[in-house]
Amino acid sequence: MLFFFTMLFTLWLAASALAGEFTGQVGSVLEGDTIEVLHKKRPERIRLGGIDCPEKRQPFGQEAKDAASALVLGKDVTVKMHGKDKNRGTLAEVLLSDGTNVNQMLVAEGWCWWYPKHALNGKVLKRVESEARTAKRGLWADPYPVPPWEWQKWRDRP
């Protein structure tokens, strides 16, 4: 029983360490859903949680990166960390100084899919994606857009 509580406490501490917030300037946009923000004078790679943009070489990948760049590059943002992705990168919601949620904005503009696995505000992202699909914004102008997780499977086949 003591072992169980010790493990539970350890997991709680680890989760608490992952949660947090900082403000910094966006130094680069690597992909539509991945940016680098200066944190303690060093660039920290941030994966925008709850969304998945097309890969760089995938259709709409460059447009998604350009849209993210237009929103955040060179700007001060608040990073609200909420975990790590499969590559141990920081998952976060990113807010502009006026309160605009960058994650939601990219979905609303049609440059990415909402991604339930990493979504803190899934209901909002799901609704915003549905509105973008209906309006045929961004990648939804394509009658058959391929989600990045499917494109990766196809690309990696022998």
Side-chain angles (χ1 to χ4, degrees):
M1 187 71 149
L2 179 61
F3 175 75
F4 173 75
F5 285 113
T6 303
M7 289 301 296
L8 192 59
F9 182 71
T10 303
L11 288 172
W12 177 80
L13 281 177
S16 297
L18 292 176
E21 180 176 307
F22 70 90
T23 300
Q25 187 177 61
V26 177
S28 63
V29 175
L30 305 172
E31 293 187 90
D33 54 20
T34 309
I35 63 176
E36 286 187 339
V37 180
L38 287 176
H39 182 215
K40 298 180 182 175
K41 299 182 182 178
R42 300 182 75 175
E44 183 167 338
R45 187 168 293 188
I46 305 296
R47 171 77 161 75
L48 301 177
I51 70 172
D52 203 0
C53 289
E55 302 293 322
K56 281 189 242 185
R57 293 179 303 279
Q58 183 179 357
F60 297 100
Q62 186 62 49
E63 290 89 342
K65 180 181 176 184
D66 292 346
S69 295
L71 279 171
V72 301
L73 190 59
K75 296 180 182 173
D76 287 333
V77 296
T78 298
V79 176
K80 293 186 171 198
M81 302 175 287
H82 61 82
K84 298 284 184 180
D85 67 8
K86 66 181 179 182
N87 299 318
R88 305 289 303 146
T90 300
L91 282 169
E93 281 194 317
V94 175
L95 305 175
L96 297 175
S97 59
D98 68 0
T100 300
N101 184 308
V102 174
N103 309 48
Q104 288 177 22
M105 185 60 72
L106 289 169
V107 175
E109 291 178 352
W111 298 119
C112 53
W113 284 258
W114 83 282
Y115 193 61
K117 186 176 179 182
H118 298 145
L120 286 180
N121 52 1
K123 288 181 182 178
V124 172
L125 291 173
K126 183 177 182 179
R127 176 183 51 78
V128 170
E129 180 187 297
S130 178
E131 291 168 1
R133 281 179 185 246
T134 300
K136 298 188 182 324
R137 287 192 291 264
L139 61 84
W140 302 114
D142 184 332
Y144 305 105
V146 178
W149 56 89
E150 293 296 328
W151 188 80
Q152 288 170 348
K153 288 180 196 174
W154 176 81
R155 181 197 67 193
D156 295 339
R157 284 191 302 184

